[in-house]
Amino acid sequence: METVLETRQLSKHYGRLKAVDNLELKIPKGSVFGILGPNGSGKTTTLGMLLDVIQPTTGQYRWFGQPGTKEQRKKIGAILETPIFYPYLSAYKNLEIVALIKEVSNDRIEPVLKQVGLLDRQHDNFKTFSLGMKQRLSIASALLCDPEVMILDEPTNGLDPQGIAEIRALIMGIASQGKTIILASHLLDEVQKVCSDFAVLKFGKLIYTGKVADVGKTDFKVIVKAETDLHSILNQCNLVSKAILMPNGAFEVEMVAGKAAPDLNAYLVKNNIIISSLETQSKSLETQFLELLNNA
C-alpha cells in the first residue's frame, strides 16, 4: 500500500523536555489515521512539525515519498488549534480571503460550503455561527485547495453531541472521496467510530500503532446467564479458563485460546442448559488505550 507520510526518528526537544522523541510512523494512502494521547503527549507538536510550523530538533519526515516542501504542502489541508476568521465578515467573504492566500480560485468556495453543509448560511456573518458551524467552516477552508491529505487537530473539541456527530459524518464523507485524513484526538469513542488506523503517544514516544478493526479481536469475554446455576458446569468445562459470577446473576467467562461464544453455547445446549442470554463483549479502544498507557 502506498505511504502518504513517513517519519524517521522525528524529535522535538525544548531543553530537557522531549515533546516528541524519535517518532517513527507510516501512514497509508486513503486511511483515516488517529493520533491518540493524553495532554502533553506530543500530538499537536507532531502535527506542527509535519506542517513545517515547528522546526524538528532531529529526524525527518517525507510526504508522498519526498522531503517536505512548499509544493508538497499545497497537497495538504490543515486545521491546527483554533482557526481565526473575521467575525463581521460572512462565511463566503472569509473564504475569499483564504482563497487569495492559498492562490485558489473563488470557484471552489460554493462547492466546499455545500460539502460542509453551510451553503445556505454563506452570506451570514461568522459571529452568528455556532461552535459546530465555525468548525465546519474551518474544514471548508482546509478543503479549498482540494487537498490529498487533511490534518485535523482535535476537530470535535468543545462540541455538543450533535456537533460531534456532524463533524464525524463530515470526516467520513471526506474520507469516502479517497482523501487521507490524519486526526489528533483524545476522544477515544470518536476515533473508534471514524478511524481505520491509530497510534498512541505517551510523553512524546510512540507506544503503539495498529488497525482500529483489530481492537478487541483477540481479547474478549463472554457474558452468559441461565435460569439454572451455571457455576459448577462452567468450572468443569474445558472451554473455559475463568468464570466470574456478576451481581446480576450472569457469569463473565474467559474462553481458552481459539474458543468463542458459539462453542460455549453448543456445550451448554449439549448439557441441556437453557440459556436466557449470551453475548460477546470485545475490548474497547478506551480499555486498550488505558492499558497501553499504564503498561508503557
Side-chain angles (χ1 to χ4, degrees), residues 112-185:
V112 299
L113 284 171
K114 182 178 181 180
Q115 186 173 354
V116 302
L118 290 176
L119 188 60
D120 60 340
R121 297 293 301 271
Q122 63 177 309
H123 299 304
D124 293 343
N125 289 351
F126 178 74
K127 67 174 184 174
T128 66
F129 284 7
S130 67
L131 187 58
M133 293 169 65
K134 290 176 179 177
Q135 190 69 344
R136 282 188 276 150
L137 185 63
S138 301
I139 293 175
S141 72
L143 286 168
L144 272 177
C145 61
D146 194 18
E148 293 183 35
V149 179
M150 291 281 289
I151 293 180
L152 307 174
D153 187 15
E154 302 283 2
T156 58
N157 199 23
L159 300 183
D160 60 20
Q162 180 179 345
I164 290 173
E166 290 172 352
I167 297 298
R168 181 202 309 147
L170 180 55
I171 291 171
M172 294 173 72
I174 295 169
S176 70
Q177 299 174 342
K179 298 185 186 297
T180 304
I181 298 177
I182 302 171
L183 164 67
S185 181

Side-chain angles (χ1 to χ4, degrees), residues 52-90:
D52 205 27
V53 175
I54 298 173
Q55 186 66 32
T57 303
T58 58
Q60 59 180 295
Y61 60 89
R62 297 172 72 86
W63 285 109
F64 314 101
Q66 301 293 328
T69 64
K70 184 178 179 180
E71 287 303 311
Q72 295 283 15
R73 287 191 294 278
K74 287 182 179 179
K75 301 178 182 179
I76 302 167
I79 303 174
L80 284 185
E81 305 294 348
T82 304
I84 298 174
F85 292 103
Y86 292 98
Y88 293 98
L89 292 182
S90 68

